[in-house]
Amino acid sequence: MKTVKDLPLPARILRAAFITFGERGFDKASMDEVADVAGTTKRTVYAHFTNKETLFRASIGQATEWFLAELPVLDPAGDPEAELTRFASRFSDLSTWIGPVRLQRVVIAEAERLSDLAETLHRQVIGGAEERIAAFLTARGLINPATQADGSELRAPQAARLFLNMTTGPRRFATLMEALRPETQHPNVTGFGNDDDWVRFAVRFFLHGLTEPRSFPD
């Protein structure tokens, strides 16, 4: 992952804002601090972003793009278990790195004042990942309505949501609540696969449920 100083100026400001808002919170963060981290002046920051809220929103939008860009591509020709394990493991590790964890906490703290941000963050990050999983499940023919015990259709988006929650939900939630300590370094530095045992088990459980359906009570 590129450091702040390696980025073009607008992206450098957004990365600096991501760091500053995450460490200081929305109220305590200042444009002076953002400028200092970005290696520029407050006047330059204001020339690109008219106020702190505009910068905060832009930094969240850029952070979601960076996050999604670091997820692996699910290869429809690949082995389903291997592809889904790799995807879920990377999603879990990226989600529990200190940067995204702090940003989520700031968005939650500002939920009353900036109520749309949490919905936007969830739709773009969680929804974006679910769309990729759903497309993979469909391409591989793993969603077969005829196999459902009660005759109902298990749609790909529903299956993708179930998959992401099963494989990554426990660790993501525990880290967000500080029951587990967030990773302080980016996974590219520490290496991915911190929750591999759980992810592998959950992936196999999920795939078994798709291929060996059972009748469940309502």
Side-chain angles (χ1 to χ4, degrees):
M1 187 182 69
K2 290 182 178 180
T3 63
V4 172
K5 65 180 181 180
D6 295 325
L7 299 168
L9 180 58
R12 200 161 78 230
I13 294 171
L14 289 174
R15 179 63 62 82
F18 169 80
I19 294 169
T20 305
F21 284 122
E23 292 180 346
R24 303 277 290 153
F26 181 80
D27 284 333
K28 292 182 179 180
S30 71
M31 300 294 257
D32 285 303
E33 289 174 297
V34 172
D36 184 59
V37 174
T40 187
T41 65
K42 182 169 70 172
R43 182 172 182 174
T44 300
V45 174
Y46 273 115
H48 287 83
F49 305 96
T50 55
N51 55 53
K52 188 163 74 167
E53 181 179 330
T54 300
L55 176 59
F56 183 48
R57 289 178 177 278
S59 70
I60 291 174
Q62 183 63 79
T64 61
E65 290 184 20
W66 283 326
F67 185 97
L68 292 172
E70 294 199 56
L71 292 176
V73 174
L74 286 161
D75 181 5
D79 173 68
E81 183 176 326
E83 291 296 315
L84 290 171
T85 298
R86 185 166 57 97
F87 186 91
S89 179
R90 195 167 182 92
F91 187 93
S92 179
D93 286 346
L94 287 169
S95 299
T96 52
W97 169 49
I98 190 65
V101 171
R102 283 176 171 169
L103 192 63
Q104 289 176 81
R105 290 173 179 168
V106 176
V107 170
I108 291 170
E110 297 302 318
E112 288 192 19
R113 176 168 37 184
L114 306 171
S115 59
D116 62 304
L117 282 181
E119 189 276 333
T120 299
L121 189 63
H122 185 273
R123 185 184 69 250
Q124 293 180 347
V125 175
I126 304 297
E130 289 174 353
E131 287 176 5
R132 299 182 188 191
I133 297 164
F136 176 79
L137 295 175
T138 301
R140 286 305 307 244
L142 292 169
I143 301 299
N144 184 2
T147 65
Q148 300 309 300
D150 62 358
S152 63
E153 181 182 356
L154 178 62
R155 293 186 292 274
Q158 294 171 328
R161 179 166 300 177
L162 176 63
F163 172 82
L164 199 63
N165 284 329
M166 286 175 61
T167 55
T168 72
R171 184 178 170 215
R172 286 191 288 121
F173 186 74
T175 306
L176 186 62
M177 300 296 290
E178 201 70 23
L180 292 175
R181 298 297 298 274
E183 294 292 332
T184 57
Q185 291 185 302
H186 189 278
N188 281 348
V189 176
T190 60
F192 288 89
N194 287 329
D195 207 24
D196 268 359
D197 288 343
W198 170 260
V199 170
R200 280 193 294 267
F201 169 79
V203 168
R204 290 171 184 170
F205 192 89
F206 173 80
L207 290 173
H208 182 77
L210 290 182
T211 57
E212 299 291 337
R214 295 291 185 269
S215 178
F216 293 97
D218 292 334

